[in-house]
Amino acid sequence: MAVGFHITAAILMLAFAIVYASDPSPLQDFCVAVPDADASVFVNGKICKDPKLVKPEDFFFPGLNNPRSTSNPLGSNVTLLNVDQIPGLNTLGISLARIDFAPYGLNPPHTHPRATEILVVLEGTLLVGFVTSNPPMNMKNRLFTKVLNPGDVFVFPEGLIHFQFNNGQTDAVAFAGLSSQNPGVITIAKAVFGSDPPISPDVLTKAFQ
């Protein structure tokens, strides 16, 4: 009886691990995404282009060294290179972002539901941090924060709320690697206060006290 229970438990754990995997290992050298919004596999990834039609450009994106405009209310600009910009990333479980900051620019609190992020600062100074989830009883969510200088690296665990703020008086630039071909992003303020249709003010008032 006990042996049967352990075998069943092992099978369930294995099945859970397979289902939980967000970017499974590919079964071939590459699976370049077909550039068609209707050609999607809604479980995971996009339909593969015929390998005979694949070109070097499917794995290429130019000009990431060029600064991006930060003339917006947040004073920041995120250039995300996921499977939509580089079709060759399909099924490979990785993507990249360049983040430009004006002085006191902010990449506001947000989460990536499908990816861990690792960030390196190239220019300027950034105050970064993430907040833990589900604190134990009578405890608060814990903030992990650090001031980063050029060459410093910081990791934001998958799914946790995090931010980057240029607390210096000069422009800042950082690059981030993400562990998904399509990490997704949920900007907290925009999602909570800018949804369509809007969340009831009664709900928001009670939630934010």
Side-chain angles (χ1 to χ4, degrees):
M1 185 72 173
V3 174
F5 172 80
H6 288 307
I7 292 174
T8 302
I11 292 172
L12 287 173
M13 285 190 293
L14 179 60
F16 177 80
I18 293 171
V19 170
Y20 182 77
S22 57
D23 282 320
S25 298
L27 301 179
Q28 61 283 319
D29 288 342
F30 49 77
C31 173
V32 174
V34 172
D36 180 354
D38 295 325
S40 298
V41 181
F42 290 103
V43 174
N44 197 319
K46 296 178 180 289
I47 293 173
C48 301
K49 181 188 289 189
D50 185 334
K52 295 191 294 294
L53 303 177
V54 170
K55 303 172 292 185
E57 286 73 20
D58 292 321
F59 303 91
F60 175 75
F61 183 92
L64 201 59
N65 60 312
N66 297 322
R68 268 56 178 177
S69 172
T70 55
S71 59
N72 57 65
L74 290 173
S76 69
N77 190 319
V78 178
T79 304
L80 176 63
L81 303 183
N82 63 10
V83 66
D84 293 325
Q85 287 76 41
I86 304 177
L89 289 177
N90 194 37
T91 74
L92 297 185
I94 192 170
S95 55
L96 177 70
R98 174 188 172 122
I99 314 169
D100 290 88
F101 299 86
Y104 306 108
L106 172 69
N107 190 13
H110 63 281
T111 72
H112 301 294
R114 295 180 291 276
T116 294
E117 175 180 342
I118 184 167
L119 178 131
V120 58
V121 176
L122 296 188
E123 300 176 14
T125 302
L126 294 179
L127 170 68
V128 306
F130 68 86
V131 181
T132 60
S133 66
N134 293 332
M137 188 71 70
N138 301 321
M139 291 185 65
K140 294 183 177 181
N141 296 79
R142 186 177 176 190
L143 172 65
F144 289 83
T145 187
K146 190 80 174 171
V147 173
L148 305 183
N149 297 300
D152 290 345
V153 175
F154 199 79
V155 174
F156 306 99
E158 180 176 342
L160 297 187
I161 296 174
H162 60 283
F163 62 88
Q164 298 106 23
F165 174 62
N166 180 3
N167 59 348
Q169 298 181 7
T170 62
D171 292 344
V173 180
F175 280 80
L178 299 115
S179 61
S180 171
Q181 65 197 22
N182 187 18
V185 62
I186 302 170
T187 304
I188 306 304
K190 185 176 179 180
V192 172
F193 296 103
S195 66
D196 184 18
I199 298 173
S200 165
D202 293 336
V203 173
L204 296 179
T205 301
K206 194 168 185 68
F208 287 90
Q209 295 293 297

